[in-house]
Amino acid sequence: MTAVAGTRDGSDVPQEQSADGSTDQRRELAKANHVLVDQGILDGFGHVSVRSDEDPTTFLLARNLAPGLVQPQDVQVLTLDGDTDDPRKPYLERHIHAQIYRARPDVRAVVHSHSPAVIPFGVSSVPLRPILHMAGFLAPRVPVFEARDTMGAGSDLLVSSAESGVALAEALGDAAVVLMRGHGSTTVGGSLPEVVYRAIYTEVNARVQVEAERLGACTYLTDEEAAATVATNTPQIGRAWQYWQDRAV
Ligand SMILES: [Zn+2]
């Protein structure tokens, strides 16, 4: 291995490049794909990206490929316009990632998924709210993106243009998760482990909330409780990340 330019997580640890050209970030991104498939968040569709450590005006995202098949060499570098020099076909919905990175300098990683338990909260009047302590990041609110507002009444609901990406980023605002009506959700975080954690527990929270609501009126985390759980849980994410990587193929 030889050291190449760039650092990870703002540290002075240089990125390592192996003989096949893959870097630590590319390998970690490939692993994040596999973890999200193993955890039932991604299937043949959806994607995860990370902002480049070497150039924060670019981000890394796999080429147009099922997440379970992604390897480090499948990772492309894209600009905040969603463009790439890589001749291989990119994802149609790369604009989700590009426009969120443009709008949110604090965001270092993005997951877009169609995980099913979340869908009802994007199509009904019931808001997704933090009901368990592992999902405090859902507070204070989870906004819903309505595709018709920018894409008209007959769209395919996909965020496949810069214009719709801008609208999605505006709907997200400063939240951690935005629901996409009739489509799925997009989750953001400060690192790949954090965004994977959030995507997993957004789906868990949705399942638990539906079950709890069937029993009657529910008690949700207050904003203060939610903030306290985030402060406690965030430093613990590495433990789960290690386990999730180990069990993923
Ligand atoms: Zn999608």
Side-chain angles (χ1 to χ4, degrees), residues 69-154:
L69 301 178
V70 169
Q71 297 299 322
Q73 59 269 29
D74 296 309
V75 173
Q76 300 178 317
V77 180
L78 294 95
T79 70
L80 301 190
D81 292 318
D83 297 328
T84 179
D85 292 334
D86 192 319
R88 298 173 296 179
K89 183 181 178 185
Y91 287 121
L92 293 172
E93 294 192 288
R94 60 193 180 280
H95 299 285
I96 292 172
H97 305 259
Q99 296 304 327
I100 287 176
Y101 287 125
R102 182 184 290 280
R104 290 275 302 269
D106 60 307
V107 169
R108 306 287 304 176
V110 177
V111 171
H112 168 59
S113 92
H114 307 152
S115 66
V118 176
I119 302 290
F121 295 94
V123 302
S124 69
S125 60
V126 179
L128 183 65
R129 297 174 61 187
I131 200 165
L132 74 160
H133 73 113
M134 301 301 282
F137 58 86
L138 295 175
R141 71 185 191 96
V142 180
V144 179
F145 171 68
E146 173 49 76
R148 286 178 198 154
D149 292 345
T150 48
M151 294 149 65

Side-chain angles (χ1 to χ4, degrees), residues 45-47 93 96 112-114 157-159 180 183-186:
F45 299 96
H47 18 81
E93 294 192 288
I96 292 172
H112 168 59
S113 92
H114 307 152
L157 303 184
L158 299 188
V159 179
M180 302 157 78
H183 178 177
S185 61
T186 295

Side-chain angles (χ1 to χ4, degrees), residues 7-38:
T7 61
R8 288 166 50 76
D9 303 328
S11 72
D12 56 2
V13 178
Q15 284 222 22
E16 297 291 329
Q17 186 172 34
S18 39
D20 65 358
S22 64
T23 62
D24 288 351
Q25 255 197 319
R26 288 171 188 249
R27 287 193 291 273
E28 189 174 48
L29 182 58
K31 203 67 187 181
N33 275 269
H34 302 164
V35 167
L36 289 164
V37 171
D38 184 58

